[in-house]
Amino acid sequence: MGKNKLTKFAETYTFPNFVQPTREEVISQGFSLKGNWHTFFKNDHPIVLELGCGRGEYTTGMAKMFPNKNFIGIDRKGARMWKGGKAAIEENMNNVAFLRAQIDMLNYYFDTDEIAEIWITFPDPQPKKVNKRMTCRKYLNLYSSFLKAEGTVNLKTDSQMLYDFTMETLQSLQYNIRQNVTDIYALPSVPEILNIQTYYEKMWLEQGYRIQYIQFMLHG
Ligand SMILES: C[S@@+](CC[C@H](N)C(=O)[O-])C[C@H]1O[C@@H](n2cnc3c(N)ncnc32)[C@H](O)[C@@H]1O
């Protein structure tokens, strides 16, 4: 980790909107906000997650659009989330939190029906490790342990391989695919929520990649 990253990482421990218990604490003592995230936000508004949020552009972007929802950006890299955390503090956004955690441990952090919606933005396609793809069956199963029945999962990706894999997985599970857009920027009018661009999205767009979007439910 470079010096700048180390400085940022250290600074995240002073951010009131950062939550980062150690893995060991969570496993041995449990996690006090599990089932109690409303106490963190001090309201009962719906909670939306961004998985693998990086710098947190979707987390902060959606939080501005929907002040009556709460947003939690999740990533294993604290120095990356620093940018979103800092922006949310500077703009007094009380409906934003960042959680440093591994996606495969999310059932330790969220309780049944605690989450209203999930966004997965430009995840690593993991060409060689099917079980690490954020839309593999194992992960969809994990998400269903805390996503409300009426909740949706939203995937934005530049990767044709990940898009095809996700569609095949959803079709074989007979899950409800609510939206399937194979080129967001070819739409006659791009919905505001799909127009938030992350660091990785900008990079892929510059290289000429098409951006695809799938919105689905975790049942038929
Ligand atoms: C390609 S980047 C995309 C970041 C951001 N969403 C964007 O579009 O700019 C993927 C992100 O997922 C995070 N990530 C990958 N696997 C993860 C895991 N198992 N648990 C938590 N974060 C993970 C990485 O640290 C990285 O920040």
Side-chain angles (χ1 to χ4, degrees), residues 58 156 184-185 190-197 201:
Y58 252 86
K156 265 179 101 175
I184 287 178
Y185 298 103
V190 183
E192 195 186 5
I193 195 155
L194 293 185
N195 221 350
I196 298 171
Q197 291 184 355
E201 174 166 0

Side-chain angles (χ1 to χ4, degrees), residues 1-166:
M1 211 189 262
K3 189 169 184 292
N4 195 26
K5 275 192 198 166
L6 280 174
T7 310
K8 284 181 178 169
F9 183 62
E11 200 182 345
T12 63
Y13 280 91
T14 69
F15 287 179
N17 58 8
F18 257 64
V19 180
Q20 38 189 344
T22 66
R23 180 191 164 87
E24 291 68 33
E25 271 165 23
V26 167
I27 292 173
S28 65
Q29 299 161 28
F31 179 59
S32 61
L33 287 176
K34 178 175 175 173
N36 297 311
W37 276 93
H38 60 97
T39 62
F40 180 89
F41 291 109
K42 301 184 179 66
N43 60 50
D44 282 324
H45 297 167
I47 300 175
V48 180
L49 304 184
E50 182 190 4
L51 309 185
C53 69
R55 291 152 183 82
E57 292 92 342
Y58 252 86
T59 298
T60 53
M62 292 192 293
K64 282 181 203 161
M65 277 179 207
F66 304 102
N68 290 329
K69 291 184 185 179
N70 299 316
F71 294 85
I72 307 176
I74 303 170
D75 205 289
R76 59 185 171 200
K77 295 195 175 159
R80 279 201 183 165
M81 294 192 292
W82 175 91
K83 190 166 184 200
K86 185 90 177 160
I89 291 167
E90 285 174 355
E91 294 179 47
N92 293 316
M93 299 167 71
N94 297 323
N95 60 339
V96 170
F98 286 93
L99 171 65
R100 188 162 62 81
Q102 290 283 349
I103 302 300
D104 56 5
M105 283 188 58
L106 289 186
N107 52 325
Y108 284 84
Y109 298 87
F110 302 104
D111 212 347
T112 314
D113 289 340
E114 194 164 20
I115 298 305
E117 197 177 314
I118 296 175
W119 284 75
I120 309 174
T121 52
F122 300 90
D124 303 318
Q126 301 283 5
K128 294 194 180 138
K129 296 180 185 158
V130 176
N131 287 328
K132 294 211 163 180
R133 295 179 190 158
M134 284 196 195
T135 53
C136 71
R137 279 173 187 238
K138 182 184 76 170
Y139 280 149
L140 297 184
N141 206 19
L142 177 74
Y143 307 153
S144 69
S145 70
F146 49 79
L147 185 70
K148 289 177 188 291
E150 68 275 18
T152 58
V153 182
N154 300 266
L155 170 73
K156 265 179 101 175
T157 183
D158 56 285
S159 162
Q160 188 64 44
M161 188 276 288
L162 188 73
Y163 168 86
D164 291 341
F165 168 80
T166 304

Side-chain angles (χ1 to χ4, degrees), residues 162-172 177 180 214:
L162 188 73
Y163 168 86
D164 291 341
F165 168 80
T166 304
M167 287 299 283
E168 276 163 28
T169 305
L170 297 175
Q171 280 158 357
S172 71
I177 299 170
N180 173 21
I214 311 171

